[in-house]
Amino acid sequence: MKTFRILSITLSMLALIGFSSCDDDDIDGSDTLIGPGTVDTRINTIGSLSNLNAAIEAASGDIATTLNGTGPFTVFAPNDAAFETFATQVGFEANDDDGSAAAQLLSAADADLLAQILTYHVVADNIEASGFSDGQTLTTVQGGSLSVAVGDDVFLLDASNLPETNPVSKVTQPNFYADNGIVHIIDKVLLPQEAIDALDFDIRPTLLDWVTGTDDLSSLAAAATKAGLVDAIADLESARVLAPNNEAFEALFDALGDDYNDLDDFDNSAEIELLSQILLYHILSSDDGSTDLVTGPAMTLLEDNTVDVVDNAGAFEFGDVTATNATIVTDGIDSKNGVVSVIDKVLLPQAALDFIALLGSDDLATTVVNAPSLSTLEEALIATDLVDVFVDATNMEDEEATNFTYSRNATVFAPSNDAFVDLFDALGADYTSIASFDTEEELELLTNILLYHVVAGKITSADLAAGTLTTLSEKDLEVISVIGSENFVIGDATNDVNANITTPDVLARNGVAHIVDKVLLPQTAITFIDSLDD
């Protein structure tokens, strides 16, 4: 950073400042109650331009006198936040002893350089906001030029001339009319080439600027926002971002199936976590901070996952867990904190393939129906209207819903047909099948028994551990370790005969079933059985 000459700044105080220090951010210049006056008067009476006022006083050349002249002048006035941001960019930091970063900048600024920056914000013309056109070039009093971009708002590009900086400056409050021109408030200090050179100012956008400011990366930018990764990308010190273009995201939606047409369909925690994993898989990092591409596996920010960097006839490609590589559309986009390579494919880690396979699998209800040894359980679910509990009817996350989805899984200890035969025997001659449960009391009992077999969450056999599990009936099951083996059995309220897991890990889209050889009985069932003997 260049050494700034120390200046003594005397701030002019006008009688109308107190009147105009209300929230200027909520008014249009044309509606203000303060009389027009000159453009200098308007700047002095707008409360959010105190830093600009101080800069005009500190600069050489008596800019205030010029702005009080005949004109006409169009002034692009950076607000206080814009000056604070600029000050931090050139090395100042707000603190309790020295005040704001902007105040420190202005107290140390070279007056001639400051004058060049300020006169770069002035055009010798009177242009209302409606008078700007897209692609227009404005010649400033300083001698440099500004480019205009018009969309929903008016944007100004300074000497850096990089629209990917999202964009250089936006007109946030237009049309503060004056007797000798007009003032438009903007949100960033504009820099002529002389200032960029003198300050050794890095005009390159950041990685995040490139992602959020490039039209063909709008899907990537939206995905980063949805996945909560914007801050993580902004904080990267040195990385290469493999940036899938919009067409690549369309291909991803096609691969995921009819339920995924755009990013709005990623609407639960499981899907957003998947999106986060996919995006982290596109950020290449290295231990030494290098962003150079070297053939071979490249570390990514998705832990334990690498992308293959492939040299194909002198052109780099990127391989994931699929058979198709991503090719580079635009390479070597330099930024302050890394490099962007725009690619034509969304790279998929193994987690994404697992998710796609999950979408193609059956829900727990269908799994039960398709298992010949569980036909009695199917009858019981139908009789008690509990089929929906096991159906993946929606991918929406709803803690109040009775059904389980792939974002809210269940574990079912599924009694085999033989297990139900044993239950009928225990109940006596009046119970020969599920159809024997034909009163409200009996169906309520059967419902409690079935819910006693369901635990929220997906617990595979590898995840089972000795202890208790709370079931949907709000009663606990006991997981018992078989001494001398790696097996587990399931204990119920009988406290004598446990259930053996005969077939573990029957996987479904919304959970897992373990087939057991006994119908597990809560205390309510035991009490009912005992009452039959009375």
Side-chain angles (χ1 to χ4, degrees), residues 52 128 131 181 418 440:
L52 176 58
E128 296 184 4
D418 290 340
E440 288 188 11

Side-chain angles (χ1 to χ4, degrees), residues 478 480 489-492 494-500 517-518 520:
E478 185 177 7
I480 304 167
V489 296
I490 309 301
D492 59 8
T494 61
N495 291 321
D496 53 4
V497 179
N498 298 320
N500 297 290
D517 61 1
K518 177 184 183 233
L520 300 165

